Amino acid sequence: MKYLYRIYQVLVFVPIMAVATLSTALITIVAIPWKNAEWLHRVQQLWARLFCYLLFIPVTVSGVENITSGQSYVFVSNHQSFYDVFAIYGWLPVIFKWLMKAEVRKIPFVGTACKAAGHIFVDRIHPKAAAASIKEAENVLHDGVCTVIFPEGTRTRTGEMGTFKRGAFQIALDLHLPVIPISLTGCYQVMNPGDIFVNRHPIHMHIGEPIDLSQVENPIEYVRNKVKEGIYE
């Protein structure tokens, strides 16, 4: 079954998702004037869900009741694999902008579509460019538009959660926005570092309660512990 599943990925999944990715990118580019529209978010959400639907990967979500409609949040999540993106994009029920690595801009069509959608590219090498990117993120976080950040900065290589960097928390503090922790379980098993094939494994996303960073000591470590608490063992 393992090898049949891999053959299916090459012959069926990859061609379908190539067409779906190109189509979604083109729709997003054309729809720049409506980049915060609910209908466009639904199109992008369906694209992300297809990565799981077509490979028969079940995704469950808990904690949706912790999100208040119309409120902007800074969501922070652990980063297990590429599939983190599809789980969050597909099942987080808010309009949001990724704070993503500048390297994504170079991916054909995808980079252009991400820019058209209003996602924020962060140059982590040049401090001035990084500061400008964070300022740009601050300008869009209002009227219920949120951001999602992987504060580890990169995917885990071992399955263990790494240290959190300050950027996400500075945005939340500067704009007086609550932080919501997202805890992902199973994405590491779906796609281990260096793998080119996907493994069928369930994914769970837990959405934690909002946190007012001004009310907690050592907010970075506090939020990291909340993300860790929500990961299923």
Side-chain angles (χ1 to χ4, degrees):
M1 289 298 296
K2 176 180 179 180
Y3 294 105
L4 287 176
Y5 187 53
R6 289 184 173 182
I7 292 171
Y8 168 81
Q9 291 180 45
V10 173
L11 297 182
V12 179
F13 172 75
V14 170
I16 291 176
M17 287 314 304
V19 173
T21 299
L22 177 59
S23 300
T24 304
L26 290 174
I27 291 171
T28 301
I29 293 168
V30 171
I32 288 178
W34 305 279
K35 62 183 178 182
N36 291 335
E38 181 68 25
W39 69 266
L40 182 59
H41 174 67
R42 294 296 183 190
V43 171
Q44 296 160 350
Q45 191 175 58
L46 176 59
W47 167 80
R49 290 190 177 196
L50 283 176
F51 277 88
C52 296
Y53 289 156
L54 291 176
L55 291 177
F56 315 105
I57 296 171
V59 179
T60 55
V61 182
S62 61
V64 173
E65 67 277 5
N66 292 322
I67 299 174
T68 299
S69 178
Q71 168 68 53
S72 294
Y73 296 100
V74 175
F75 291 90
V76 299
S77 173
N78 58 319
H79 200 3
Q80 294 188 330
S81 79
F82 282 125
Y83 261 75
D84 301 342
V85 173
F86 308 133
I88 294 173
Y89 220 158
W91 279 270
L92 186 63
V94 298
I95 295 174
F96 66 89
K97 308 303 176 184
W98 291 102
L99 204 65
M100 58 178 59
K101 295 185 293 186
E103 293 85 345
V104 176
R105 196 199 308 263
K106 300 177 183 178
I107 301 175
F109 294 107
V110 175
T112 303
C114 286
K115 184 173 178 59
H119 300 307
I120 311 299
F121 299 102
V122 178
D123 187 332
R124 297 178 297 175
I125 299 176
H126 304 96
K128 287 186 178 179
S133 298
I134 292 175
K135 185 64 178 178
E136 184 180 353
E138 292 174 351
N139 291 335
V140 302
L141 299 183
H142 53 80
D143 298 328
V145 178
C146 305
T147 187
V148 178
I149 304 173
F150 296 118
E152 294 166 90
T154 189
R155 301 185 305 278
T156 178
R157 307 299 298 180
T158 64
E160 298 296 321
M161 192 166 59
T163 57
F164 281 11
K165 296 177 174 61
R166 183 174 178 80
F169 305 94
Q170 192 61 56
I171 291 173
L173 286 167
D174 288 348
L175 294 183
H176 308 289
L177 292 177
V179 166
I180 290 187
I182 294 177
S183 307
L184 294 172
T185 307
C187 294
Y188 183 78
Q189 288 78 8
V190 168
M191 199 169 194
N192 299 143
D195 282 357
I196 60 172
F197 289 104
V198 171
N199 304 302
R200 189 168 180 268
H201 191 281
I203 293 173
H204 182 76
M205 179 170 69
H206 177 69
I207 302 169
E209 296 181 356
I211 301 168
D212 181 351
L213 296 187
S214 67
Q215 300 299 311
V216 298
E217 293 186 15
N218 195 352
I220 296 177
E221 196 60 28
Y222 182 87
V223 174
R224 185 181 183 278
N225 288 334
K226 288 298 182 181
V227 171
K228 190 172 183 179
E229 287 175 9
I231 299 174
Y232 285 15
E233 299 294 337

